[in-house]
Amino acid sequence: MASSSSLSPPKVPKELYFINREKVLNSLRQHLTETSRPLHGFVLLQGGEEQTRYCTDHLELFRQESYFAYLFGVREPGFYGAIDIATGKSILFAPRLPPDYAVWLGKIKPLSYFQEKYMVNMVYYTDEIVGVLQGHYKEPGKPLLFLLHGLNTDSNNFSKPAQFEGMEKFETELNTLHPILSECRVFKSDHELALIQFANDISSEAHVEERFKAIELDNPMQTQSVYISRVLPSFLSACAVLHYGHAAAPNDRAWRTMHLRKMDVLCWKLSPLHNLTFEDGDMALLDMGAEYQFYGSDITCSFPVNGKFTSDQSLIYNAVLKAHNAVINAMKPGVCWVDMHKLAEKIILESLKKGGVMVGNVDEMMAARLGAVFMPHGLGHFLGIDTHDPGGYPKVITVEPGCYFIDALLVPAMENESTSKFFNHEVIGRFKDFGGVRIESDVLVTANGSKNMTSVPREISDIEAIMAGAPWPSNKTAPSNS
């Protein structure tokens, strides 16, 4: 079993969410001024609700709705939150709990507890929303509510506007808040960065523990227990590689874990799910990340489970690592993310050509979009309160190039008249059951360039040395604990 971590979590200042609210309030006021609209009304968000498993009384693990967590930091379900645009005052509305709550679930906390804990100006009960907001609105007519409604481009789902009994007594506006709030989440404060850095530090440590101290375990379920004993995850993922495997089509080539923030363990083999074990020669991919005070990390490591890279494993791994490093070195404000994606694809194709897997002109391969055959996903995504955070500018972003051998993509490309000539058909057959490699780090973009917040061994020499018993971090590389 893994040893306990030596890292100490940073204190979470109460003003963290106050700063977030001020950022959103200032951005909203600026937008209203620029569009010649009055500076009054309320931002109103509804927090998450506890959910049961289908029709049963089994409560699923609760995790706060992310926009609500960003503005108020509330960990409990059933809350609403409001910000008075005219005065800047913040209001929480807590659920009025029945007396028998105290019998089964513990002490019912007074409203003053939430006011102090979440550093808001006022706290009322949810059944008082109408009267409180009407009482604080000093303009004629119905009070105006700015509600959260907008498309999440990762899921294609829309955020849910707040709903409560008596909404007909208010004017509602659905178009303004979502883009402003989403953009505010992109630019992280120093407080937020400290939480993300700690999540990276503890996740980096857990990755090393998973790979190099638990690798002798026979069963990936035991590997999961090592990770969960060290970090605190937050949701279930069916990701593995390329989100391969889900409830409608379980993946019999990968062991799919339940995890806290994000934990996917992949071992490339054909084996019944309950008998799946790591074996000599397997290539494993671990995609895991801890969450601390809502803010998370997302790290992927790929490695041979026996501790020694074969020549083929080294070829693919180094191709991806070279792309990973080149992108991070090139990242800075003003750099086009599409160009970074193309850079990663080109480097991987060049490496595959050098290794004899591909033949011909790499620029022609790029024009034929063969890069997407080996890396069909995006180069990275925003990171913060959500693993795939919203927003339009890469301030904290993952860099996660990959190279995979997927029949559903390879076979059509190899059979196509215009692209078949680029494949060394004899050599590529060696990689039929290879699976793939992904390397993912969390990167902070600053005015001067970028900073890799993730600290795990990446070079083959380091990975093999640590799996043979060498310590990590080495003297030259230590994780930041800020």
Side-chain angles (χ1 to χ4, degrees):
M1 183 57 64
S3 59
S4 60
S5 174
S6 61
L7 300 175
S8 299
K11 292 183 178 180
V12 182
K14 288 185 177 181
E15 63 267 26
L16 168 62
Y17 305 105
F18 171 81
I19 292 172
N20 289 348
R21 290 194 297 270
E22 285 291 298
K23 186 193 304 184
V24 172
L25 179 63
N26 291 336
S27 296
L28 180 57
R29 284 173 170 172
Q30 180 180 349
H31 173 79
L32 294 176
T33 299
E34 291 173 351
T35 54
S36 302
R37 298 161 69 184
L39 301 180
H40 62 70
F42 300 91
V43 170
L44 182 69
L45 268 66
Q46 182 176 359
E49 300 283 350
E50 280 191 315
Q51 303 290 330
T52 60
R53 182 184 296 170
Y54 305 113
C55 65
T56 74
D57 64 351
H58 177 91
L59 287 173
E60 300 285 4
L61 180 66
F62 174 74
R63 201 270 190 180
Q64 187 58 267
E65 194 278 327
S66 294
Y67 286 101
F68 195 81
Y70 176 77
L71 286 182
F72 296 100
V74 174
R75 306 188 71 85
E76 297 86 354
F79 276 68
Y80 290 75
I83 304 172
D84 188 332
I85 295 171
T87 66
K89 291 183 177 181
S90 54
I91 311 169
L92 274 181
F93 296 94
R96 194 186 295 271
L97 301 174
D100 63 354
Y101 178 97
V103 176
W104 304 105
L105 296 172
K107 182 180 178 181
I108 297 177
K109 298 177 177 66
L111 297 182
S112 58
Y113 167 87
F114 299 110
Q115 184 175 1
E116 180 181 358
K117 181 178 180 180
Y118 297 120
M119 201 175 174
V120 293
N121 297 106
M122 295 162 278
V123 182
Y124 299 92
Y125 289 112
T126 54
D127 55 22
E128 299 176 297
I129 290 177
V130 174
V132 169
L133 294 184
Q134 286 182 330
H136 282 82
Y137 190 70
K138 305 304 180 183
E139 303 295 328
K142 292 182 178 181
L144 176 63
L145 303 180
F146 289 90
L147 304 180
L148 187 68
H149 180 68
L151 179 68
N152 183 306
T153 55
D154 289 305
S155 66
N156 285 323
N157 294 326
F158 284 86
S159 52
K160 176 186 175 184
Q163 295 181 330
F164 59 91
E165 189 174 347
M167 285 196 69
E168 69 279 0
K169 299 178 181 178
F170 298 85
E171 297 289 343
T172 58
E173 209 272 18
L174 296 174
N175 299 317
T176 299
L177 181 60
H178 187 270
I180 290 174
L181 185 48
S182 295
E183 195 68 8
C184 285
R185 284 178 58 179
V186 172
F187 296 88
K188 270 66 176 180
S189 67
D190 289 341
H191 294 314
E192 292 177 291
L193 290 175
L195 301 183
I196 294 172
Q197 184 63 68
F198 177 71
N200 264 270
D201 290 346
I202 197 70
S203 298
S204 297
E205 187 179 81
H207 265 280
V208 174
E209 194 78 16
E210 281 283 346
R211 275 194 301 191
F212 311 128
K213 296 182 182 178
I215 202 61
E216 72 276 9
L217 297 175
D218 292 331
N219 193 325
M221 187 62 73
Q222 292 175 275
T223 305
Q224 179 195 15
S225 69
V226 173
Y227 186 76
I228 290 179
S229 72
R230 299 176 63 79
V231 301
L232 191 58
S234 71
F235 65 89
L236 305 183
S237 172
C239 176
V241 166
L242 307 183
H243 299 259
Y244 181 85
H246 50 87
N251 182 1
D252 62 355
R253 290 178 56 83
W255 179 68
R256 182 163 60 99
T257 72
M258 291 189 294
H259 56 83
L260 302 179
R261 171 68 166 200
K262 191 173 196 300
M263 180 179 178
D264 304 309
V265 178
L266 182 96
C267 183
W268 291 98
K269 54 174 68 258
L270 287 170
S271 177
L273 190 62
H274 63 284
N275 289 330
L276 185 55
T277 58
F278 294 131
E279 294 178 359
D280 188 32
D282 284 335
M283 194 74 180
L285 184 157
L286 273 66
D287 186 346
M288 310 185 301
E291 175 179 299
Y292 180 65
Q293 296 292 328
F294 296 120
Y295 288 86
S297 58
D298 189 7
I299 302 169
T300 303
C301 298
S302 302
F303 61 97
V305 299
N306 64 7
K308 287 290 183 180
F309 283 81
T310 66
S311 59
D312 282 346
Q313 289 171 344
S314 297
L315 167 63
I316 305 306
Y317 184 88
N318 280 330
V320 177
L321 181 61
K322 187 176 181 181
H324 167 274
N325 293 345
V327 168
I328 292 178
N329 289 336
M331 289 173 66
K332 61 182 180 180
V335 170
C336 176
W337 192 239
V338 174
D339 291 340
M340 294 296 95
H341 187 106
K342 291 179 179 179
L343 173 63
E345 284 189 353
K346 187 171 185 178
I347 289 174
I348 290 170
L349 288 172
E350 289 173 342
S351 297
L352 292 177
K353 178 183 176 181
K354 186 176 181 180
V357 179
M358 305 294 286
V359 294
N361 185 283
V362 172
D363 289 334
E364 292 179 9
M365 296 181 203
M366 289 289 292
R369 294 298 295 124
L370 288 183
V373 172
F374 294 96
M375 190 176 79
H377 58 68
L379 177 62
H381 53 82
F382 303 123
L383 179 72
I385 285 184
D386 287 317
T387 304
H388 293 176
D389 228 33
Y393 176 83
K395 183 67 181 240
V396 178
I397 192 169
T398 68
V399 175
E400 50 178 310
C403 181
Y404 317 91
F405 294 83
I406 303 169
D407 283 346
L409 298 173
L410 276 172
V411 172
M414 293 172 67
E415 293 178 348
N416 185 289
E417 286 187 11
S418 62
T419 55
S420 176
K421 61 184 179 182
F422 295 112
F423 294 89
N424 187 330
H425 292 250
E426 181 178 347
V427 172
I428 208 168
R430 298 203 311 260
F431 295 87
K432 179 175 178 57
D433 296 320
F434 183 90
V437 167
R438 180 164 71 245
I439 300 174
E440 178 183 21
S441 297
D442 302 339
V443 180
L444 167 64
V445 179
T446 68
N448 300 319
S450 64
K451 173 193 173 185
N452 191 343
M453 306 177 80
T454 301
S455 177
V456 293
R458 294 301 195 191
E459 298 293 335
I460 286 179
S461 58
D462 287 333
I463 293 172
E464 291 185 339
I466 293 164
M467 294 187 78
W472 182 267
S474 64
N475 293 332
K476 63 181 179 180
T477 307
S480 168
N481 184 21
S482 56

